[in-house]
Amino acid sequence: MSTKTTGKLTPGLFFRKKSPLTDWGLPFVRGAEEHKHLAKRNITGRAAASAQLVRALIAAISGHVTAIAVSQVQFFTDGDVQTGLTATVRRHSAPSKTATVWLTEGARWGVPHSSASYYVGIVAILDAMAEVVHKGPEDDNPVWDFWSAYYRLLVEYERHGKSENLKPALLLAADELYHWLVYRETPAGHLVTRLGDIHLMDAGAAVTSPTGEYLSANALQISKSLKALLRDGPLTFDATPDDGTSEDESPGSFRGFVGPQGPLLWDAVSAGDNCLLAGPTGTGKTFLTEQVALEGEYTLVTINGMEGMIDLDIIGAILPQEDGSRKWVDGPLVRAMRAAQYDPVLLFIDEMNRIPREQVNLFVGMMNPKSREICDREGIPVRGEGPFYTLAIPMTGEIVWCPAKHLRIVAAGNFGSQYAVYELDPALRRRFETVIEFEYPEAELELHLVEAKTGLKGRVAKALVQVAGETRRLYANGELAGCIDTASLLNWARKCKRSAAASVHAVMRQGALVWADLVVGRDHTGRLNREALDALQDYLKSLGVLP
């Protein structure tokens, strides 16, 4: 098998895409757009957004990079063996599939299909990680400029998620990553770069053998873990908000989630319970779980339940490769268990009661922990004292295991009769020691949430919250087809903020873009139920707060 290479990288490769990154949840960032968030070494006074490097950063902070290990990489072309770092990356276009990337001490970089895509940016991040972990750079090494920007990006992502508030930190980190990739530790210049010295190779054309030394991937997605990995190096970003307030700005909140469920879930997960979250859609079950994972420094792995799921979507499968071979590809459950052998993992099963019975039964046996003695008798090569979760992979005969204390399982579901779901098996239900019910926040808390998350304030924000509450009352009485959930309310508020909507007509026009079809329904011709929509507009007028 030959090892492919693309030849030399050039700066222009990183700025080819010039459209908004909507497919990555970043409609507010456009490839190649000029900005003023400059890297410290940027001597030009201007910068442009590299779509590929922005994608790499988003993939890293959102948990797509896992299982970072020191490895031996052997090349088929010449038999040479080099030490390097490898990482598994969840593919953005197909989250159930993974790719491997690597870099070696000999400036060989492995990415899927030798393509100069966002995977190159991920390898550049690994290169910066290797610089601080294994070489202990001096305080004046430019790698700290990148890590300071990355740390700031993590903090802003933990506070705001993929909102427009993230843009300044994201563009700064992308410019710092570009300068690290192009110049590494040398001064920035226009003529001399190191891109021509990098051998970009097909990651599938080499054999990687982990040495057993793993680096925590948590450092790329949790600010506390990153600071620990960097050993309190000279980061220049202060994570304290400028106004002196704490990250929990809303009364009764848990890292931006309002309501009593926040501390309940945190306490249960911290105590080792597996948790079931029950409640209507849009009440924050997913958001809260993500915040608990961040606060607890868990690697987060998600399974999205849906009709038609097969084993591949949960356990994995043997799949054909481009070179004609076939190999096993882990699904999210197996990926979570492998990661939990080394690091704390939170497995989130969203919409669990939409998973077909054949697949959901996998969890019944897997969530029954076994003692070390039982594992030994069954020939399962576990390490440690246990108990352990185990899972047999029928297609390969392998039994995957992990210490039960390393894996927390949180499942969520909408259990109302209006949802097309399966009944939860009583045996599986008993595997969850804590059940937390979710409801929509009280009006005062929801108003505070709208103001904090969207920047919409005053009478318009209050009016939106009141309309949402009225739809919930009417829906409970069977007078509407649905109601405005909290997630839709925040989306509505953002649109009103962006369009400066301040009148009844303008606010309702924005609402029609978000929730009208779900809330008022459609008639037999497929048109919106105008009578119900007009009634909501009349209710908004009756409040007397908007012109």
Side-chain angles (χ1 to χ4, degrees), residues 470-527:
E470 177 66 4
T471 65
R472 295 164 193 169
R473 183 187 70 80
L474 294 173
Y475 175 60
N477 292 337
E479 299 177 52
L480 282 178
C483 65
I484 302 174
D485 58 63
T486 302
S488 296
L489 174 62
L490 292 173
N491 188 10
W492 186 20
R494 291 188 186 98
K495 281 183 166 54
C496 289
K497 172 72 173 177
R498 190 165 61 241
S499 64
S503 67
V504 170
H505 178 71
V507 164
M508 290 299 293
R509 186 168 63 243
Q510 297 302 316
L513 300 174
V514 179
W515 49 258
D517 60 326
L518 297 174
V519 173
V520 305
R522 300 181 184 275
D523 63 20
H524 67 285
T525 69
R527 295 183 176 90

Side-chain angles (χ1 to χ4, degrees), residues 107-129:
R108 293 182 178 182
W109 289 26
V111 295
H113 321 306
S114 300
S115 57
S117 65
Y118 74 96
Y119 292 107
V120 172
I122 292 175
V123 180
I125 295 172
L126 293 181
D127 185 37
M129 179 179 282

